[in-house]
């Protein structure tokens, strides 16, 4: 029952566990909302479940979940790297301007250059290799590139 699922999610959270819950029916929506992270199976999933979940997998195939988790971890690392790159560029430019003389054209070029580097770094997730674990699955789960 839906309330039993929610109670179990709350019990696990009270025990210090972080849950990833997967569901596809209306009866899963309350538990998906209560879980730390939730995934809805979208093709046959109910509209309420799809709207409640943090992520939606269009395929009704549970073997794609490890690939989605892997892709989300890579995306998080990429965002962290981009923030580090941008922050480093800004810190160097600000430090240079405070403790020396940074010509305005060089400051603008440095800032815009960092923006281009961050954008190009973000485009790495569009490569086929980034999506391969999601498209080729085996009985054990997604392949590693």
């Amino acid at each position: 029952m839906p309330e039993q699922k929610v109670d179990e999610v709350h019990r696990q959270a009270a025990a210090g566990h972080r849950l990833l819950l997967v569901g596809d029916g209306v009866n899963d929506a309350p538990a998906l909302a209560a879980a730390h992270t939730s995934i809805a199976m979208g093709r046959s999933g109910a509209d309420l479940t799809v709207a409640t979940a943090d992520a939606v997998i269009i395929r009704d195939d549970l073997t794609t979940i490890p690939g989605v988790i892997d892709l989300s971890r890579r995306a998080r690392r990429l965002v962290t790297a981009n923030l580090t790159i941008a922050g480093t560029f800004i810190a160097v430019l600000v430090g240079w301007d405070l403790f020396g003389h940074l010509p305005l054209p060089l400051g603008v070029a440095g800032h815009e250059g960092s923006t281009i580097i961050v954008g190009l770094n973000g485009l790495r997730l569009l490569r086929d290799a980034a999506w391969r674990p999601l498209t080729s699955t085996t009985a054990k789960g997604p392949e590693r590139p």
Side-chain angles (χ1 to χ4, degrees), residues 22 33 44 66 73 90 96 99-100 112 116 121 127 132 143:
V22 179
S44 64
R73 287 179 177 154
I90 296 299
W96 187 354
F99 300 113
E112 297 309 316
I116 290 170
N121 192 34
R127 294 179 305 158
R132 189 172 301 124
E143 292 178 359

Side-chain angles (χ1 to χ4, degrees), residues 58-145:
I58 301 302
R59 285 196 245 157
D60 288 335
D61 182 8
L62 290 175
T63 61
T64 60
I65 292 173
V68 169
I69 292 169
D70 184 51
L71 183 62
S72 68
R73 287 179 177 154
R74 283 187 280 159
R76 183 182 177 109
R77 283 193 303 269
L78 189 78
V79 167
T80 302
N82 281 346
L83 288 173
T84 302
I85 291 167
T88 301
F89 265 84
I90 296 299
V92 167
L93 292 172
V94 167
W96 187 354
D97 193 41
L98 289 176
F99 300 113
H101 176 67
L102 176 65
L104 182 60
L106 190 57
V108 170
H111 181 267
E112 297 309 316
S114 71
T115 303
I116 290 170
I117 290 171
V118 163
L120 291 173
N121 192 34
L123 289 175
R124 291 183 335 174
L125 283 180
L126 295 179
R127 294 179 305 158
D128 287 340
W131 293 88
R132 189 172 301 124
L134 298 178
T135 57
S136 60
T137 58
T138 63
K140 294 181 182 179
E143 292 178 359
R144 299 288 176 193

Side-chain angles (χ1 to χ4, degrees), residues 6-28:
V6 173
D7 291 342
E8 183 59 30
V9 168
H10 288 306
R11 270 195 294 280
Q12 294 293 327
H17 301 287
R18 294 173 55 160
L19 296 177
L20 167 67
L21 192 66
V22 179
D24 65 349
V26 174
N27 63 339
D28 296 326

